């Protein structure tokens, strides 16, 4: 997954000040796969005017259409009569060339050719365009060292204010109060009992008996290590996103994210590639045809007959994973009312689903509290032993708060520090 620069997660990272614990790198390129070739998609104004693959007429067509998408709600006459059509059908009526239609549908709106309505497509295009230019030339950011940094950053902020984590403890059973029906403790696999007023658990920790009636979707995933980029340029350090449209209509498109070594996720002179799509079969069946189009799977060195430009796959793994997003809590059998279930990752590119889920669970537990409020600055906290008893002072006045880490990693190596103000360094 990537972070939309004006998405819910970026707003939350800034508001809660969790962004101080992480650094980000811009996704530098939006790519398209068309007629068997990978090419760069011009999406910002500068890219459009600098593009050599578009004619002057196409540049004007594209700019005119993208300008319309930014405030399409104000021009309902433009799409009147196409509300029940697909976005692909609507694009065909806009006097756009086939290449522009392909770019807009698959690389800017990134929606299905068969299932996406006109209004959904316009909304997706507008979201993409609104995110351009906030932190760079594309709408996306990627956290240095990988997506695992995001939960780590929230954990770190929580720990500063007294939060406690039990790591590597799997759940053996729940202890339920007979009278209230609420969960009052859990017993872990060591036999240790941990008391709690609320229990928040990721779906995969629950027993099979609780999940009997749950109907899950699946996500197909592949992770590759390659020896070069799918589209080589002067700069090796590119973070690219590529949507490969399905060969057969009705099948899902495959999202490809290619990371370079400066994202701190792979070694120098290699690239880490993630491929994702909603499952129709096994991960290998869903994704290997795309891998074969983009990469050279042969372990031998190139012969004269092979295409020299294809990157070689040095290592690959395919797997299916459960998509538990969108599962209703009532589907779980016999869960106490104070047990809240979080889903794992969903197949969407952004993180909006996770942020909405976290806020919903928090508001159910603490309806009068603000979700992820900005923490006080250490220098603004006043702690007076004579006037405030420690047990009454709350976390904001605790000694731990004073020792909040003040050393922040600088923005280096082309990375981006997310700030409140776009111009703030």
């Amino acid at each position: 997954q990537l972070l939309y620069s004006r998405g819910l997660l970026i707003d939350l990272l800034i508001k809660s000040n969790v962004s101080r614990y992480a650094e980000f790198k811009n996704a530098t390129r939006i790519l398209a796969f068309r007629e068997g070739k990978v090419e760069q998609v011009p999406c910002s104004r500068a890219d459009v005017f600098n593009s050599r693959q578009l004619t002057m007429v196409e540049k004007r067509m594209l700019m005119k259409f993208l300008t319309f998408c930014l405030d399409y709600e104000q021009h309902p006459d433009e799409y009147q009569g196409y509300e029940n059509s697909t976005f692909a059908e609507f694009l065909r009526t806009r006097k756009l060339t086939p290449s522009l239609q392909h770019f807009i549908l698959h690389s800017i709106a990134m929606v299905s050719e068969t299932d996406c309505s006109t209004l959904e497509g316009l909304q997706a295009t507008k979201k993409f365009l609104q995110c351009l230019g906030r932190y760079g030339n594309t709408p996306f950011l990627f956290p240095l060292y990988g997506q695992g940094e995001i939960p780590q950053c929230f954990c770190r902020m929580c720990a500063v204010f007294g939060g406690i984590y039990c790591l590597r403890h799997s759940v053996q059973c729940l202890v339920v109060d007979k009278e209230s029906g609420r969960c009052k403790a859990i017993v872990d696999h060591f036999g240790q009992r941990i008391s709690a007023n609320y229990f928040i658990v990721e779906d995969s920790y629950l027993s099979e008996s609780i999940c009997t009636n749950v109907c899950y979707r699946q996500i197909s995933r592949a992770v590759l290590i390659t020896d070069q980029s799918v589209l080589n340029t002067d700069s090796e350090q590119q973070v690219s996103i590529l949507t490969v449209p399905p060969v057969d209509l009705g099948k899902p498109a495959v999202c490809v994210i290619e990371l370079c070594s400066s994202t701190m996720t792979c070694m120098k002179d290699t690239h880490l590639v993630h491929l994702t799509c909603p499952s129709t079969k096994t991960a290998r069946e869903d994704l290997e045809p795309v891998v074969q189009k983009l990469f050279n799977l042969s372990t031998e060195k190139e012969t004269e007959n092979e295409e020299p430009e294809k990157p070689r796959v040095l290592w690959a793994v395919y797997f299916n994973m459960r998509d538990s997003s969108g599962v209703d809590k009532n589907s779980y059998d016999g869960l106490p009312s104070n047990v809240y279930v979080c889903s794992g990752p969903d197949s969407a590119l952004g993180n909006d689903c996770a942020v909405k889920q976290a806020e919903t669970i928090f508001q159910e537990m603490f309806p009068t509290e603000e979700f992820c409020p900005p923490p006080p600055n250490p220098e603004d906290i006043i702690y007076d032993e004579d006037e405030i008893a420690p047990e009454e002072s709350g976390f904001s006045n605790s000694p731990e708060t004073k020792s909040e880490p003040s050393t922040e990693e600088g923005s280096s190596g082309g990375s981006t520090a997310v700030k409140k103000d776009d111009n703030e360094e």
Side-chain angles (χ1 to χ4, degrees):
Q1 291 181 313
L2 295 171
L3 283 74
Y4 278 92
S5 66
R6 293 189 191 276
L8 295 179
L9 185 54
I10 289 286
D11 293 343
L12 188 62
L13 286 166
I14 292 169
K15 175 195 169 193
S16 62
N17 220 1
V18 169
S19 57
R20 73 172 72 177
Y21 298 128
E23 283 188 274
F24 300 84
K25 191 168 178 66
N26 280 109
T28 51
R29 299 185 301 186
I30 311 290
L31 303 178
F33 186 75
R34 197 169 64 92
E35 296 173 358
K37 287 185 178 178
V38 177
E39 49 191 342
Q40 189 160 344
V41 176
C43 47
S44 69
R45 188 181 292 272
D47 283 349
V48 171
F49 286 113
N50 291 330
S51 173
R52 292 181 181 176
Q53 68 212 74
L54 300 180
T55 65
M56 193 56 72
V57 174
E58 282 182 314
K59 289 178 182 181
R60 279 201 293 270
M61 283 179 181
L62 183 58
M63 285 307 300
K64 186 178 177 184
F65 181 76
L66 296 181
T67 304
F68 152 68
C69 289
L70 270 172
D71 60 350
Y72 72 91
E73 296 99 334
Q74 273 67 54
H75 305 282
D77 51 303
E78 297 269 353
Y79 54 85
Q80 207 164 20
Y82 296 100
E83 291 95 328
N84 299 322
S85 305
T86 65
F87 188 48
E89 288 168 344
F90 174 69
L91 290 176
R92 285 195 279 273
T93 69
R94 299 292 300 189
K95 298 179 183 174
L96 296 164
T97 61
S99 61
L100 292 182
Q101 290 177 42
H102 182 98
F103 288 162
I104 293 164
L105 186 69
H106 296 295
S107 302
I108 294 179
M110 290 185 275
V111 292
S112 164
E113 198 166 335
T114 52
D115 300 334
C116 178
S117 71
T118 297
L119 288 175
E120 287 170 339
L122 289 171
Q123 190 178 1
T125 306
K126 180 179 178 178
K127 180 180 179 180
F128 181 100
L129 296 170
Q130 284 178 323
C131 293
L132 282 173
R134 186 177 191 187
Y135 298 116
N137 222 21
T138 74
F140 304 109
L141 293 175
F142 183 80
L144 291 193
Y145 302 99
Q147 283 283 349
E149 286 297 286
I150 300 296
Q152 188 270 133
C153 293
F154 279 100
C155 292
R156 188 173 175 188
M157 176 65 87
C158 179
V160 166
F161 287 91
I164 298 169
Y165 287 83
C166 299
L167 303 179
R168 297 183 182 179
H169 287 235
S170 59
V171 180
Q172 193 72 34
C173 64
L174 306 180
V175 181
V176 179
D177 183 71
K178 274 188 178 178
E179 291 179 13
S180 65
R182 288 170 65 87
C183 173
K184 59 183 182 180
I186 65 161
V187 177
D188 70 8
H189 68 297
F190 297 117
Q192 182 179 355
R193 180 181 168 127
I194 303 168
S195 299
N197 292 326
Y198 303 95
F199 183 42
I200 305 167
V201 63
E202 199 262 328
D203 174 279
S204 64
Y205 283 86
L206 298 174
S207 66
E208 285 185 22
S209 59
I210 290 176
C211 302
T212 307
N213 300 322
V214 180
C215 185
Y216 293 107
R217 297 185 296 264
Q218 293 282 322
I219 302 170
S220 291
R221 298 272 290 106
V223 183
L224 317 176
I225 298 174
T226 64
D227 64 348
Q228 61 178 359
S229 174
V230 288
L231 183 63
N232 284 318
T233 57
D234 297 338
S235 171
E236 289 180 8
Q237 298 301 321
Q238 302 272 14
V239 178
S240 311
I241 173 168
L242 164 65
T243 305
V244 180
V247 176
D248 304 317
L249 283 178
K251 292 284 182 76
V254 175
C255 176
V256 182
I257 296 173
E258 184 187 72
L259 305 169
C260 57
S261 60
S262 64
T263 61
M264 311 299 180
T265 58
C266 54
M267 293 190 299
K268 194 172 184 286
D269 299 325
T270 65
H271 287 77
L272 183 66
V273 184
H274 293 275
L275 295 94
T276 312
C277 74
S279 299
T280 56
K281 298 178 183 176
T282 66
R284 187 177 284 276
E285 288 172 304
D286 283 340
L287 299 172
E288 197 166 53
V290 174
V291 173
Q292 287 171 340
K293 284 180 189 175
L294 296 172
F295 302 99
N296 175 11
L297 292 171
S298 171
T299 53
E300 302 295 321
K301 286 288 182 186
E302 291 162 3
T303 63
E304 289 179 12
N305 299 329
E306 284 179 334
E307 298 175 49
E309 69 272 9
K310 277 189 177 181
R312 269 194 321 132
V313 174
L314 306 175
W315 179 87
V317 62
Y318 295 87
F319 57 96
N320 289 82
M321 58 186 281
R322 184 190 280 178
D323 180 359
S324 54
S325 63
V327 174
D328 187 75
K329 188 181 176 181
N330 297 325
S331 304
Y332 298 104
D333 195 25
L335 267 193
S337 60
N338 62 331
V339 174
Y340 296 91
V341 184
C342 296
S343 70
D346 61 313
S347 59
L349 180 62
N351 308 78
D352 284 6
C353 177
V355 177
K356 287 175 183 171
Q357 197 176 87
E359 184 164 13
T360 301
I361 291 174
F362 180 85
Q363 295 298 353
E364 283 183 30
M365 289 163 53
F366 308 109
T368 60
E369 297 288 333
E370 184 186 356
F371 177 62
C372 273
N377 291 318
E379 59 270 19
D380 295 336
I381 298 172
I382 301 168
Y383 182 66
D384 190 332
E385 287 185 6
D386 298 330
E387 293 182 18
I388 306 170
E391 61 270 18
E392 296 171 358
S393 61
F395 289 131
S396 60
N397 294 315
S398 65
E400 288 94 331
T401 310
K402 290 184 173 182
S403 61
E404 182 177 348
S406 59
T407 55
E408 296 179 23
E409 290 181 308
S411 188
S412 60
S415 58
T416 303
V418 177
K419 301 288 186 181
K420 292 177 186 170
D421 191 310
D422 301 350
N423 300 316
E424 188 178 342
E425 291 185 354

